[in-house]
């Protein structure tokens, strides 16, 4: 949820962007963020667009839809 919150806040972000935001609040390895973001992309929560030597991620689900689904479950 923390990774998705960063993506929703930034609209589009690289792994490094998200890692830097999360690192302000807690210590977390960049590879952990990469793994989580790749898994979210495989599950359809994030869209992964290749740009040069990196990837730009954006949410495929709006915050309200995701949080609304969590509350209903």
């Amino acid at each position: 949820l923390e990774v998705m919150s960063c993506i929703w806040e930034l609209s589009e972000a690289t792994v490094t962007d998200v890692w830097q935001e999360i690192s302000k609040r807690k210590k977390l390895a960049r590879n952990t963020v990469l793994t989580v973001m790749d898994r979210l992309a495989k599950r359809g929560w994030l869209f992964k667009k290749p740009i040069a030597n990196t990837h730009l991620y954006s949410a495929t689900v709006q915050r309200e839809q995701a949080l609304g689904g969590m509350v209903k479950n």
Side-chain angles (χ1 to χ4, degrees):
L1 190 57
E2 196 162 357
V3 168
M4 288 302 296
S5 291
C6 287
I7 296 288
W8 288 320
E9 229 176 86
L10 300 170
S11 296
E12 291 183 324
T14 64
V15 170
T16 302
D17 295 334
V18 174
W19 173 68
Q20 288 174 340
E21 281 297 312
I22 292 173
S23 292
K24 292 176 184 176
R25 296 181 291 276
K26 67 169 124 177
K27 187 174 181 177
L28 194 63
R30 185 186 176 282
N31 283 344
T32 303
V33 175
L34 172 62
T35 300
V36 170
M37 290 176 72
D38 275 341
R39 288 180 180 170
L40 287 169
K42 286 178 185 170
R43 292 182 180 147
W45 284 73
L46 295 177
F47 175 72
K48 182 178 174 181
K49 179 170 61 172
I51 302 225
N53 293 332
T54 190
H55 290 92
L56 195 60
Y57 292 83
S58 57
T60 59
V61 178
Q62 297 298 318
R63 182 187 305 253
E64 296 76 20
Q65 292 172 309
L67 296 178
M70 287 179 183
V71 171
K72 289 179 187 176
N73 293 333

